[in-house]
Amino acid sequence: MTAVSTTADDLTGRTAMVTGAGRGLGRAIAVALAGAGADLVLLDVAQDLPGVPYPMASPSQLEHTAALCRDAGAAVLARQADVRDLRAVEESVDAATQRFGTIDVLVNNAGIAAPSGRAVHDIDEEQWELMLDVDLSGAWRTIRAVGGLMMRRRSGSIVNVSSTAGLVGYRHFAGYVAAKHGLIGLTRAAALDYAPYRMRVNAVCPGSVRDDPRVEGRMLAEIARSLEVPVAEHEETFVRDQPMNTLIEPDDVAGAVLWLAGDGARQVTGSVLTVDGGFTAR
């Protein structure tokens, strides 16, 4: 039985699963959830993927995230799992339920930003399928694995990490934009499927997130690399284009996820929460 929180962001007695937890936003989100009292199931592929032109998180980075969560007081189960592999996802969910009894919160954060940097007609089929398989179908697989469990308990919160690319287009990022738009569609459809069971499904759309060395983020740098522009120039462009004239911090996104996970958002489902400094308000 799910514990009743004493405050809106108190997750004591609950278990949260975070995908893509090895570094970056996944690490920031996991640590925030641990700080709110949740126990954590941390998933990451934790190995390089053919076709992705930059290093993925490593096993040691995943373990570092786990250590930070333990330092915050959480019990932690960390597993290497590829969200493209349904069996690996299901086995991780089974291991989580054996350890913690249930999963109360699912955060679908696993994603890749490249292969990108090409016009639509220059994207080959393997590149297109890789992007959608990780960024969109990966979230579907975890929801498939967890949804029935939450439904039977008539409780649960699912948060999908999309992007401003799920709301607007970006030149030379068709695969990423399509996947993130699809993730918002999946969010809304799943919210309707699960609303009768008191389950909530929402999406967070971050703007350009600073590559904070504390969480070993590198997404902004990889996008700049895909576009073949210097990182400093790329950051300057985003700072100029965001009305609040600053990059988003990983903790800003983690705070939004924490709110959606907790009881303060108990009547919020099918929503898309932007954390973009006003970028999509223009």
Side-chain angles (χ1 to χ4, degrees):
M1 186 172 188
T2 300
V4 177
S5 298
T6 56
T7 62
D9 60 354
D10 182 6
L11 298 180
T12 301
R14 302 184 188 182
T15 301
M17 174 180 281
V18 181
T19 68
R23 67 179 184 216
L25 280 181
R27 178 179 292 174
I29 290 166
V31 172
L33 293 170
D39 293 324
L40 270 299
V41 181
L42 306 177
L43 304 187
D44 200 290
V45 67
Q47 64 180 6
D48 292 344
L49 296 181
V52 178
Y54 57 87
M56 305 297 287
S58 66
S60 63
Q61 287 175 314
L62 177 59
E63 181 50 41
H64 184 52
T65 301
L68 291 171
C69 292
R70 292 186 184 105
D71 288 345
V76 179
L77 174 65
R79 291 177 61 96
Q80 287 187 236
D82 188 340
V83 295
R84 298 175 302 168
D85 182 344
L86 179 60
R87 177 171 292 183
V89 171
E90 290 175 336
E91 289 175 349
S92 295
V93 171
D94 288 344
T97 56
Q98 290 174 18
R99 173 76 181 275
F100 297 112
T102 191
I103 296 172
D104 301 287
V105 177
L106 169 63
V107 182
N108 280 313
N109 170 74
I112 56 175
S116 295
R118 299 182 178 185
V120 174
H121 66 276
D122 287 326
I123 302 171
D124 64 39
E125 189 169 7
E126 291 76 15
Q127 292 169 331
W128 179 265
E129 290 178 347
L130 175 61
M131 182 65 69
L132 268 64
D133 204 10
V134 176
D135 287 20
L136 176 56
S137 297
W140 166 75
R141 291 184 186 95
T142 57
I143 294 172
R144 185 183 189 276
V146 172
L149 177 66
M150 290 182 171
M151 188 176 72
R152 288 190 294 274
R153 298 179 62 253
R154 303 184 72 85
S155 176
S157 175
I158 298 171
V159 183
N160 296 321
V161 180
S162 184
S163 165
T164 53
L167 300 170
V168 300
Y170 286 96
R171 183 172 177 263
H172 288 173
F173 279 82
Y176 186 73
V177 167
K180 293 301 187 178
H181 270 71
L183 189 53
I184 289 176
L186 174 61
T187 297
R188 289 170 171 156
L192 295 178
D193 284 350
Y194 293 130
Y197 305 96
R198 307 303 298 169
M199 294 165 56
R200 300 181 295 105
V201 188
N202 295 286
V204 171
C205 289
S208 300
V209 179
R210 184 173 70 87
D211 288 339
D212 188 338
R214 295 178 304 158
V215 297
E216 301 182 84
R218 60 183 301 159
M219 186 70 75
L220 203 61
E222 291 306 329
I223 293 174
R225 186 204 55 76
S226 294
L227 296 173
E228 299 182 346
V229 298
V231 174
E233 178 182 325
H234 188 58
E235 289 182 353
E236 183 180 347
T237 298
F238 274 108
V239 168
R240 184 185 65 238
D241 289 346
Q242 290 188 169
M244 295 185 74
N245 300 127
T246 184
L247 294 174
I248 307 303
E249 296 294 332
D251 288 346
D252 297 330
V253 183
V257 172
L258 178 59
W259 178 70
L260 288 171
D263 290 343
R266 61 185 176 274
Q267 292 296 332
V268 180
T269 195
S271 293
V272 179
L273 177 59
T274 58
V275 186
D276 67 353
F279 179 80
T280 54
R282 298 174 303 169

